[in-house]
Amino acid sequence: MPTTTYAHFRDVPESLWRWPSFSPAEIACRGTGAIKINTEAMDKLQSLRNRLGKPLIVRSGYRSPSHNRAVGGAPASKHMLGTAFDIAMSNHDPAIFAEAARAVGFLGFGTYPRSGFMHVDLGPARSWGEPFAASATPFVPETPPAREVLADSRTLKGGGAAGIATVGAAGVEVAQDVLAETQSAILPLVPYLDTLRWVFIAVALIGIAVAIHARIEDWKRGQR
């Protein structure tokens, strides 16, 4: 496995860095700034990034021996060879991530759900750690058809009441005029019809008020 070691990540020639989704600072030792570049491991890391189509947040890449001891790493940790990476799972489904990592050639897997990352390395093939909890599949909430939303809206109900009452009031007024002109025998009923007409008008005004109030509430709930 071809590897190159630099005392500090700033010493890496820009012309030799061929992994566009990562920077030397991301891969370098968090304790010393030193970096050991294993081109095979980096090629697989870039392939994994391309396959997933999402950023990989590298929590730990290369570790110098002193930093590995300081953080309690395994005595023969692959991090010291530059062939291991700890990747945050905050923006990945662990199962999908692991499947993709195996597909590009990573062989060692360590799962750390409490710390929120997964370790991958070039081998040998092995695995350890606690399993991540299964992720619930996110479903887009179903949007009811517009007709159902309108039918259930108090705006429509209030508007319907106002419309019916308005038509009723107009009907009463027409009936009143007809009776006043042609039905002299029942003229005593005309005053009562006039009262009924005003009742319909009152109902219409109430319906309009209900419709306006409901429309404001619907707007506040985003049900426009």
Side-chain angles (χ1 to χ4, degrees):
M1 296 182 183
T3 59
T4 306
T5 303
Y6 295 92
H8 198 275
F9 66 83
R10 294 194 185 93
D11 299 331
V12 179
E14 187 175 342
S15 59
L16 297 181
W17 189 263
R18 64 174 193 244
W19 303 280
S21 298
F22 305 95
S23 68
E26 291 178 87
I27 307 303
C29 176
R30 298 294 192 263
T32 64
I35 185 171
K36 180 176 286 190
I37 302 170
N38 181 286
T39 55
E40 181 183 359
M42 287 301 303
D43 286 345
K44 293 185 186 303
L45 187 67
Q46 183 64 56
S47 295
L48 179 58
R49 166 64 176 83
N50 296 343
R51 189 183 187 94
L52 290 170
K54 295 181 181 180
L56 301 183
I57 302 171
V58 181
R59 297 267 291 269
S60 180
Y62 171 68
R63 292 180 195 159
S64 66
S66 60
H67 184 62
N68 187 64
R69 287 192 299 271
V71 298
S77 172
K78 300 297 180 184
H79 284 281
M80 293 188 293
L81 301 177
T83 61
F85 309 97
D86 294 343
I87 308 296
M89 291 291 102
S90 55
N91 60 332
H92 291 280
D93 180 291
I96 295 175
F97 176 88
E99 181 181 0
R102 286 189 175 89
V104 302
F106 286 105
L107 300 173
F109 291 84
T111 52
Y112 299 87
R114 295 180 185 179
S115 299
F117 71 88
M118 189 178 299
H119 167 104
V120 294
D121 63 43
L122 294 190
R126 68 211 187 284
S127 61
W128 68 92
E130 302 175 22
F132 280 87
S135 301
T137 302
F139 291 101
V140 177
E142 183 178 357
T143 303
R147 184 180 302 172
E148 293 181 16
V149 173
L150 287 174
D152 192 51
S153 172
R154 285 186 296 155
T155 305
L156 185 62
K157 293 175 182 177
I164 292 172
T166 301
V167 171
V172 170
E173 187 171 4
V174 171
Q176 183 182 25
D177 291 340
V178 171
L179 288 173
E181 293 178 3
T182 63
Q183 302 292 332
S184 57
I186 54 172
L187 283 178
L189 296 177
V190 172
Y192 296 101
L193 291 175
D194 187 61
T195 301
L196 183 59
R197 178 166 63 88
W198 284 108
V199 169
F200 275 122
I201 291 173
V203 171
L205 292 174
I206 292 172
I208 291 170
V210 170
I212 293 172
H213 178 73
R215 185 58 177 165
I216 292 172
E217 286 193 352
D218 286 348
W219 176 79
K220 289 180 179 179
R221 296 172 185 168
Q223 297 179 356
R224 288 185 286 178

